[in-house]
Amino acid sequence: MKLITCEFNMDSGCVELRFDDGTELGIDCTVVESEYAHTVQQKTELDWLVYNAPVEYAQLVLNKRIRDYLNIVIK
């Protein structure tokens, strides 16, 4: 599968991914934030990612690396 588009939809609060085989996937950022972001710094970092690097955000979520990422960037 090849990723065709990946963008944050402000209306739904989801990162929406579309693949070349027709698969569509939505990542609910509110759910991710409530699960992993427990400090203002963590919430700020996730907000920055979702707006500025949605592909990287999606990769972290899909590879279950959000917690590791936040532990590295927020000390």
Side-chain angles (χ1 to χ4, degrees):
M1 270 191 310
K2 180 180 176 185
L3 182 64
I4 295 178
T5 63
C6 178
E7 56 191 23
F8 178 63
N9 181 329
M10 289 180 62
D11 294 329
S12 67
C14 294
V15 171
E16 298 173 345
L17 300 99
R18 290 180 186 83
F19 296 90
D20 64 349
D21 70 349
T23 301
E24 295 183 5
L25 178 67
I27 299 172
D28 187 334
C29 298
T30 304
V31 172
V32 172
E33 187 174 296
S34 68
E35 178 72 25
Y36 295 103
H38 304 293
T39 69
V40 172
Q41 294 90 350
Q42 290 172 332
K43 290 177 184 180
T44 301
E45 184 62 30
L46 291 182
D47 285 346
W48 186 92
L49 272 176
V50 81
Y51 285 105
N52 297 289
V55 171
E56 290 80 357
Y57 179 91
Q59 288 173 330
L60 288 169
V61 171
L62 296 175
N63 293 318
K64 300 180 181 176
R65 303 291 306 205
I66 284 278
R67 182 171 284 124
D68 295 337
Y69 173 79
L70 289 173
N71 286 337
I72 291 169
V73 297
I74 308 293
K75 294 215 179 216

